[in-house]
């Protein structure tokens, strides 16, 4: 596949919540390796847009293709598709009953059937990269907002996704930490 | 200057709040936990009192004549000055409480516990299935589970018991014991189903979304992410359901199953010692439920561990 090929394409996407139009006529195309930032006031539909891209929300009109595959095709393998897309949520949504490390290793173990020992090694590696390897044994409730955020990033990266979706990656952070997290994000080999 | 008394109280409060952090949002899904929380001082001290007083009374009633005999043999002078003590200690005195207790004791207890355990064994799988079906997005499955819950919850357990024991058993052969287990198990299965459903629904939606975004199948998300978290909310009310089941198991005495209550009734009607007999029956149930509620609360604190901040 050519590096210049678009990896995410949205055409004419509409999304309604009841009578409320959250997304109207959104079209965009993102190429492999591109970093795109969505900017807009609160409530403008940024989260909704990201969520439609990995089908946590359905759309009412239009089409979305990822890696050349129409994700609203009923035959599409949603799980495979989602594995190729990492998402960092606005509220992080870390698994509250698992430690930081377990949060990172759970999906590789369950979804990719990776060997647990191997997964632990990689998980620690990732936590090290995002700078919180020393908190590997902590539960999310024992981590600050910035630390949770970084665990969430490591958790998404653990699946080796082609695409990373960040929803307001810095909204919950104070300015100093914002810097660190942005560093972590830009250190990730640019993909999308 | 701080008063030592106040300081002690403060220290105690601080140490307790560190050991038992209250969850930020506490959802009461039932008529309260099996063991009252320490934040409810009235009920908590009442609970402590009952825990000590009831077993003491139970043991005292079953053995007071033997205690008297011991006293009299140790201090013969006591028997001389207190005639009634000597009478109680005498060989011709009959302790009807102990008689009732011994009449109830091995088989009645055994049957009550057996009915309860089997009832729990049936109702928990049924309840988990029902709860899962109730949160299912597949309409027909959801509908079937909902109808089951509504029907069962609308009929008294005693009527369900008679329905299966007399009604259904007249068409197909079911032995009385099976009939009792089936009706208790399926009745409580519906209640437990609702407990399981509300526990699952209390788990933040974001948890499921996070799992889905990582490529979990709905089943994996339920199994590895949602249920383990729901258990925490489910466990206390589930324990309460089990304790209620133990108490409601006394209804099976209506269909010729020889449990604690049935044995007590038999004893009372043959000896006419109604008061003694039913006192021991009541204390027997109280005794078991106290032990069970302690077990439930131990489980509760163990499950709550990972929430500690
Ligand atoms: N599940 C939902 N039901 C109804 N309205 C929703 C739902 N999710 C989002 N919205 C609405 O859609 C709009 C866009 O939301 P969102 O995408 O979260 O905005 P942003 O992330 O840009 O702040 C908001 O006005 C919000 O009220
Ligand atoms: Mg948002």
């Amino acid at each position: 596949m050519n590096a210049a090929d678009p990896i995410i394409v949205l055409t004419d996407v509409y999304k309604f919540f009841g009578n409320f139009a959250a997304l109207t006529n959104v079209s965009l195309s993102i190429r492999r390796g591109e970093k795109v930032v969505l900017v807009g006031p609160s409530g403008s539909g940024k989260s909704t847009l990201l969520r439609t891209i990995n089908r946590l929300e359905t759309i009412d009109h239009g089409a979305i293709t990822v890696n050349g595959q129409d994700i609203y095709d009923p035959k599409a393998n949603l799980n495979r598709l989602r594995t190729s897309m990492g998402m960092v949520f606005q509220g992080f949504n870390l698994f509250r009953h698992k430690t930081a490390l377990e949060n990172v290793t759970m999906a590789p173990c369950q979804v990719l059937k990776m060997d647990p020992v191997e997964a632990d090694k990689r998980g620690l590696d990732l936590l090290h990269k995002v700078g919180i390897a020393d908190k590997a044994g902590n539960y999310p409730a024992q981590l600050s907002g910035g630390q949770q955020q970084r665990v969430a990033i490591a958790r998404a990266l653990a699946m080796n996704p082609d695409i990373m979706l960040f929803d307001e990656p810095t909204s919950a952070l104070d300015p100093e930490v914002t810097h660190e997290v942005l560093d972590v994000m830009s250190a990730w080999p640019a993909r999308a | 200057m701080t008063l030592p008394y106040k300081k002690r109280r403060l220290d105690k409060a601080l140490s307790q709040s560190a050991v038992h952090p209250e969850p930020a949002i506490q959802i009461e899904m039932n008529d309260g936990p099996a063991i009252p929380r320490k934040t409810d001082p009235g009920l908590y001290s009442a609970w402590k009192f009952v825990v000590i007083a009831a077993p003491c009374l139970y043991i005292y009633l079953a053995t007071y004549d033997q205690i008297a005999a011991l006293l009299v043999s140790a201090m013969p002078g006591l028997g001389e000055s207190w005639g009634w003590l000597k009478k109680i200690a005498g060989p011709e005195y009959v302790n009807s409480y102990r008689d009732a207790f011994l009449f109830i004791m091995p088989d009645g207890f055994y049957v009550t516990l057996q009915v309860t355990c089997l009832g729990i064994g049936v109702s928990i799988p049924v309840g988990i299935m029902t709860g899962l079906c109730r949160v299912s997005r597949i309409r027909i499955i959801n509908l079937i589970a909902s109808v089951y819950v509504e029907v069962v919850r609308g009929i008294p357990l005693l009527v369900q018991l008679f329905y299966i024991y007399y009604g259904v058993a007249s068409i197909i052969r079911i032995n009385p014991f099976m009939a009792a287990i089936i009706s208790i198990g399926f009745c409580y299965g519906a209640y437990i189903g609702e407990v399981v459903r509300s526990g699952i629904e209390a788990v933040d939606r974001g948890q499921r979304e996070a799992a889905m975004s990582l490529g979990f199948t709905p089943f994996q998300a339920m199994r590895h992410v949602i249920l383990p978290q729901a258990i925490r909310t489910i466990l206390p009310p589930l324990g309460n359901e089990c304790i209620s089941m133990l108490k409601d198991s006394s209804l099976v005495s209506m269909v010729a199953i020889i449990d604690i209550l049935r044995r007590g009734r038999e004893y009372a009607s043959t000896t006419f010692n109604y008061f003694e007999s039913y006192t021991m029956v009541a204390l027997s149930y109280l005794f078991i439920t106290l032990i069970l509620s302690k077990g439930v609360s131990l489980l509760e604190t163990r499950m709550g561990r990972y929430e500690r901040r």
Side-chain angles (χ1 to χ4, degrees), chain A residues 20 31 42 44 72 78 89 92 96-97 102 107 119 123 154 157 171 183 187 189:
Chain A
F20 177 79
R31 285 190 307 277
S42 164
S44 57
Y72 286 87
L78 265 187
F89 291 84
F92 320 135
R96 295 174 41 177
H97 61 306
E102 286 167 342
L157 292 181
S171 62
D183 284 348

Side-chain angles (χ1 to χ4, degrees), chain A residues 7-172:
Chain A
I7 189 166
I8 301 176
V9 182
L10 276 73
T11 28
D12 264 359
V13 171
Y14 283 79
K15 168 73 191 169
F16 294 93
F17 290 114
N19 283 330
F20 177 79
L23 301 174
T24 48
N25 197 9
V26 178
S27 297
L28 87 158
S29 146
I30 299 171
R31 285 190 307 277
R32 192 169 279 273
E34 234 180 343
K35 288 176 193 168
V36 176
V37 179
L38 292 173
V39 185
S42 164
S44 57
K46 305 179 297 292
S47 303
T48 308
L49 183 64
L50 288 182
R51 291 157 57 84
T52 58
I53 294 178
N54 70 0
R55 260 201 79 169
L56 288 175
E57 302 282 4
T58 56
I59 55 174
D60 298 304
H61 179 264
I64 300 178
T65 59
V66 173
N67 260 334
Q69 188 181 20
D70 179 3
I71 65 168
Y72 286 87
D73 181 352
K75 290 195 293 282
N77 184 340
L78 265 187
N79 289 63
R80 172 107 40 83
L81 197 98
R82 284 181 176 141
T83 330
S84 69
M85 277 189 279
M87 172 126 178
V88 179
F89 291 84
Q90 196 164 0
F92 320 135
N93 294 350
L94 291 181
F95 301 135
R96 295 174 41 177
H97 61 306
K98 296 283 179 187
T99 62
L101 181 60
E102 286 167 342
N103 262 280
V104 177
T105 57
M106 211 165 142
C109 288
Q110 299 298 337
V111 180
L112 304 179
K113 308 289 176 216
M114 191 185 278
D115 172 51
V117 180
E118 166 76 14
D120 274 359
K121 226 173 66 198
R122 281 203 24 176
L124 273 175
D125 226 42
L126 280 166
L127 286 179
H128 191 73
K129 270 196 195 128
V130 295
I132 43 164
D134 54 325
K135 302 282 184 201
N138 286 23
Y139 287 100
Q142 300 165 321
L143 296 172
S144 73
Q147 293 166 337
Q148 289 189 32
Q149 174 107 46
R150 282 181 271 178
V151 175
I153 294 174
R155 178 175 72 175
L157 292 181
M159 297 298 281
N160 256 328
D162 298 328
I163 301 162
M164 283 290 280
L165 308 169
F166 290 93
D167 192 357
E168 312 228 1
T170 57
S171 62

Side-chain angles (χ1 to χ4, degrees), chain B residues 169-184:
Chain B
S170 69
I171 301 167
I172 45 170
R173 273 177 52 88
I174 313 174
N175 78 38
F177 198 74
M178 287 297 292
I181 300 300
I182 290 172
S183 46
I184 289 188

Side-chain angles (χ1 to χ4, degrees), chain B:
Chain B
M1 196 193 96
T2 46
L3 296 167
Y5 168 70
K6 276 203 172 158
K7 173 147 172 35
R8 265 217 316 276
R9 237 173 56 168
L10 186 67
D11 283 347
K12 199 171 162 207
L14 283 176
S15 70
Q16 280 183 354
S17 69
V19 178
H20 300 282
E22 286 298 302
I25 308 165
Q26 197 175 303
I27 305 167
E28 289 272 344
M29 294 194 292
N30 221 306
D31 46 5
I35 293 181
R37 299 195 187 281
K38 292 214 171 80
T39 47
D40 186 345
L43 212 50
Y44 185 71
S45 42
W47 175 79
K48 263 202 213 152
F49 171 76
V50 173
V51 162
I52 296 168
C56 286
L57 182 63
Y58 196 38
I59 293 167
Y60 170 75
L61 287 179
T63 59
Y64 70 89
D65 55 327
Q66 289 164 334
I67 294 172
L70 269 180
L71 277 178
V72 169
S73 68
M75 290 174 282
L78 269 184
E80 298 312 320
S81 45
W82 289 342
W84 55 269
L85 192 62
K86 199 174 174 187
K87 198 177 129 222
I88 289 173
E92 66 281 359
Y93 182 81
V94 177
N95 180 353
S96 310
Y97 290 105
R98 183 168 60 246
D99 269 6
F101 172 74
L102 290 178
F103 196 78
I104 296 168
M105 183 46 199
D107 350 351
F109 261 72
Y110 178 69
V111 171
T112 289
L113 291 180
Q114 196 182 23
V115 169
T116 308
C117 290
L118 290 174
I120 291 172
V122 172
S123 63
I124 285 185
V126 170
I128 290 174
M129 278 307 297
T130 311
L132 289 175
C133 293
R134 290 271 286 132
V135 296
S136 166
R137 306 225 167 113
I138 305 169
R139 283 285 283 282
I140 182 74
I141 289 180
N142 198 320
L143 186 74
I144 292 170
S146 305
V147 168
Y148 160 62
V149 169
E150 285 310 324
V151 167
V152 166
R153 286 204 306 187
I155 303 172
L157 177 52
L158 187 56
V159 175
Q160 290 176 37
L161 190 61
F162 279 16
Y163 189 80
I164 293 184
Y165 181 77
Y166 294 113
V168 176
S170 69
I171 301 167
I172 45 170
R173 273 177 52 88
I174 313 174
N175 78 38
F177 198 74
M178 287 297 292
I181 300 300
I182 290 172
S183 46
I184 289 188
F186 279 84
C187 177
Y188 271 86
Y191 291 106
I192 290 174
E194 285 305 276
V195 168
V196 170
R197 179 190 58 79
S198 54
I200 290 173
E201 283 174 354
V203 175
D204 179 26
R205 256 184 56 196
Q207 296 287 315
R208 183 187 147 88
E209 290 181 350
M212 299 306 280
S213 80
L214 288 164
F216 282 63
T217 62
F219 177 80
Q220 284 174 323
M222 184 56 82
R223 159 90 179 67
H224 296 288
V225 176
I226 298 170
L227 279 185
Q229 296 187 52
I231 293 267
R232 211 186 94 81
T233 357
I234 290 173
L235 217 59
L238 183 62
N240 281 353
E241 292 296 334
C242 291
I243 292 168
S244 303
M245 191 189 299
L246 184 123
K247 291 183 283 183
D248 278 352
S249 78
S250 59
L251 289 173
V252 302
S253 64
M254 300 296 290
V255 293
I257 292 173
I258 319 289
D259 71 339
I260 293 177
L261 179 58
R262 181 74 175 212
R263 288 297 275 185
R265 263 168 63 196
E266 284 172 3
Y267 180 78
S269 57
T270 48
T271 61
F272 302 105
N273 291 325
Y274 288 97
F275 186 79
E276 290 85 346
S277 176
Y278 285 116
T279 302
M280 288 321 261
V281 167
L283 283 173
S284 300
Y285 280 109
L286 191 55
F287 192 72
I288 309 176
T289 50
L290 286 174
I291 292 173
L292 274 185
S293 54
K294 186 64 201 169
V296 169
S297 87
L298 282 180
L299 216 61
E300 200 176 320
T301 40
R302 276 194 54 179
M303 299 303 291
R305 239 172 231 170
Y306 70 82
E307 282 288 332
R308 200 163 289 174
R309 277 171 191 270

